[in-house]
Amino acid sequence: MVMSISGGTGRLKPVTQHSDIPEIYRDRPIGRLLEYHNLGREFEPYERAELLIGMCMDNRKHMRIPDNFAYIIRAGGANLRYSEFKVSFAIAVGGVREIALIGHTNCGMVNLISRRESFIDGLVEAAGWEREYAEQHFLHFAPMFEIGNEVDFVTSEAQRLRARYPKIPIQPMIYKVEDNLLYLVEE
Ligand SMILES: [Zn+2]
């Protein structure tokens, strides 16, 4: 399979054993996420979530985590720029103390501009839109949702969120749809 990540794969760190989890995350929500999803840790009961997962809406991904373990915000490309109120809510009211921001390989939000024709045709044919409105819709929103490159985007998005929520540890990760595992993005 051809990887869609350009120039970013060298910065992905696999997590295949407990010692691959950075010390700062051990026995913490981010460490537990890696244990549950990658290492098959047995589920424990949770009464409240301490982790927020930001991830793409893409249908190919499913987290292996216990009930009540995490809040999840799904948005194209794991782009939380337009979900900030929900992030604030999860922290302030929901009790979230760490954030895992998870991009993925072969993301549809990469090179969005190349999907212009299928986007417009699809809205016209499947949803009954006028072609002109569909074109305007795409031109207006595509630049807001284009992410360029999965690894670079999730890294810059994590940095942006750290500036907004300075007390919350935020770790960028990549979910490889090729093996369904999480990889840490090394910054
Ligand atoms: Zn995606």
Side-chain angles (χ1 to χ4, degrees):
M1 166 147 336
V2 176
M3 298 282 294
S4 72
I5 291 179
S6 50
T9 46
R11 291 152 53 202
L12 298 185
K13 184 177 179 292
V15 177
T16 57
Q17 53 193 352
H18 200 259
S19 59
D20 292 332
I21 297 172
E23 211 140 324
I24 49 164
Y25 295 140
R26 296 203 190 141
D27 299 319
R28 302 282 312 154
I30 287 172
R32 286 284 187 266
L33 167 67
L34 293 165
E35 288 186 74
Y36 289 130
H37 188 81
N38 277 26
L39 307 181
R41 183 188 174 97
E42 205 172 311
F43 287 175
E44 287 124 335
Y46 286 86
E47 283 184 8
R48 54 180 299 170
E50 292 187 357
L51 181 69
L52 170 65
I53 295 173
M55 63 190 287
C56 187
M57 62 195 268
D58 191 286
N59 63 308
R60 289 169 291 181
K61 310 187 317 306
H62 173 75
M63 288 289 122
R64 184 192 176 275
I65 49 173
D67 290 345
N68 300 327
F69 174 68
Y71 283 83
I72 302 180
I73 297 175
R74 298 192 70 146
N79 179 351
L80 298 185
R81 278 180 292 192
Y82 310 105
S83 306
E84 208 154 277
F85 189 80
K86 289 178 266 190
V87 176
S88 298
F89 183 92
I91 295 167
V93 181
V96 156
R97 292 297 172 260
E98 294 184 2
I99 298 176
L101 196 63
I102 306 175
H104 69 100
T105 53
N106 300 111
C107 185
M109 295 296 127
V110 171
N111 197 12
L112 194 51
I113 203 75
S114 71
R115 294 178 169 81
R116 184 175 182 273
E117 288 314 311
S118 53
F119 183 99
I120 292 165
D121 291 346
L123 267 183
V124 170
E125 286 157 26
W129 283 44
E130 301 281 351
R131 179 160 294 274
E132 195 187 326
Y133 289 130
E135 284 169 357
Q136 285 173 4
H137 189 59
F138 184 84
L139 289 174
H140 182 73
F141 287 104
M144 293 163 64
F145 291 100
E146 169 70 56
I147 65 168
N149 164 297
E150 298 95 334
V151 179
D152 291 341
F153 181 80
V154 85
T155 305
S156 66
E157 184 64 351
Q159 288 163 357
R160 186 188 69 78
L161 287 165
R162 284 181 195 131
R164 291 290 279 162
Y165 306 102
K167 288 175 71 178
I168 304 289
I170 301 172
Q171 173 62 44
M173 303 184 191
I174 288 289
Y175 183 115
K176 280 194 187 176
V177 297
E178 296 83 357
D179 62 12
N180 296 310
L181 292 174
L182 294 171
Y183 292 75
L184 295 168
V185 175
E186 293 193 311
E187 296 171 77

